[in-house]
Amino acid sequence: SLICSKATIDDVSCMTELYRKVFKTYPFPIHNEEYILKTMNENVIYYGVWEKTKLIALSSIEMDLKYNAAEMTDFAVLEEYRGNNIAYALLAKMEEKSFKLGIKTVFTIARAKSAGMNITFARSGYDYGGTLVNNTNISGQIESMNVWYKSLK
């Protein structure tokens, strides 16, 4: 069975390993343990999904508490586990935590060509805010990104 919970500093090496498997390149150094630790100590909460002791999915809440906003980001699901609504479950868990922290607005930029992630945000009640054309170097190429946002009440 799968367990969805907050990641801790003890999980950092398996987190960077998962990000390396899922993303050839990424706009931020999520493949680097020091970077993950730094963000954990500053403004990011990571959530993972484990199958027994194996980390199979990961995502994060990047918070801006001054503006009561947070980005739902860094979603990564191992290929063999995709199509099982794991990102949807992670997003629900992160929204719940954000709400408890007083976050009022959540948003994301999702790869335009990732139907699964765009469907996940649409199904979760996010509004489409437009497309950033050829905006981000991710998975080894420049891609367009869709902006999604939602008010938490």
Side-chain angles (χ1 to χ4, degrees):
S1 68
L2 303 180
I3 304 291
C4 180
S5 63
K6 185 175 166 183
T8 69
I9 58 170
D10 295 333
D11 301 314
V12 169
S13 72
C14 65
M15 292 166 66
T16 56
E17 182 184 328
L18 178 98
Y19 280 139
R20 276 192 296 276
K21 285 178 183 170
V22 174
F23 297 108
K24 182 178 176 184
T25 60
Y26 203 76
F28 302 97
I30 59 172
H31 304 105
N32 178 297
E33 290 186 22
E34 289 78 26
Y35 174 79
I36 298 290
L37 284 168
K38 179 180 183 290
T39 61
M40 279 181 156
N41 288 322
E42 290 176 355
N43 65 326
V44 179
I45 300 171
Y46 292 88
Y47 279 88
V49 175
W50 284 264
E51 183 178 62
K52 296 182 180 152
T53 60
K54 180 184 179 183
L55 181 64
I56 63 160
L58 200 54
S59 61
S60 72
I61 308 168
E62 187 173 333
M63 301 172 291
D64 185 334
L65 296 176
K66 179 180 176 186
Y67 295 103
N68 295 319
E71 183 177 3
M72 304 297 174
T73 189
D74 304 332
F75 285 84
V77 179
L78 289 177
E79 195 168 354
E80 60 269 29
Y81 292 91
R82 292 179 193 159
N84 294 302
N85 294 319
I86 293 171
Y88 186 79
L90 281 166
L91 183 58
K93 192 81 142 174
M94 293 192 318
E95 284 181 9
E96 186 182 307
K97 179 65 173 180
S98 297
F99 182 78
K100 286 178 182 167
L101 292 170
I103 301 284
K104 303 238 184 303
T105 305
V106 290
F107 65 94
T108 195
I109 60 169
R111 298 163 71 187
K113 73 180 204 175
S114 175
M117 283 312 303
N118 285 280
I119 290 166
T120 295
F121 284 100
R123 251 185 40 199
S124 298
Y126 284 67
D127 290 312
Y128 171 73
T131 300
L132 305 169
V133 178
N134 297 330
N135 173 267
T136 301
N137 183 344
I138 189 166
S139 289
Q141 60 192 9
I142 300 293
E143 292 189 27
S144 297
M145 305 294 281
N146 289 335
V147 177
W148 294 91
Y149 63 95
K150 178 180 181 177
S151 288
L152 298 180
K153 294 181 173 139

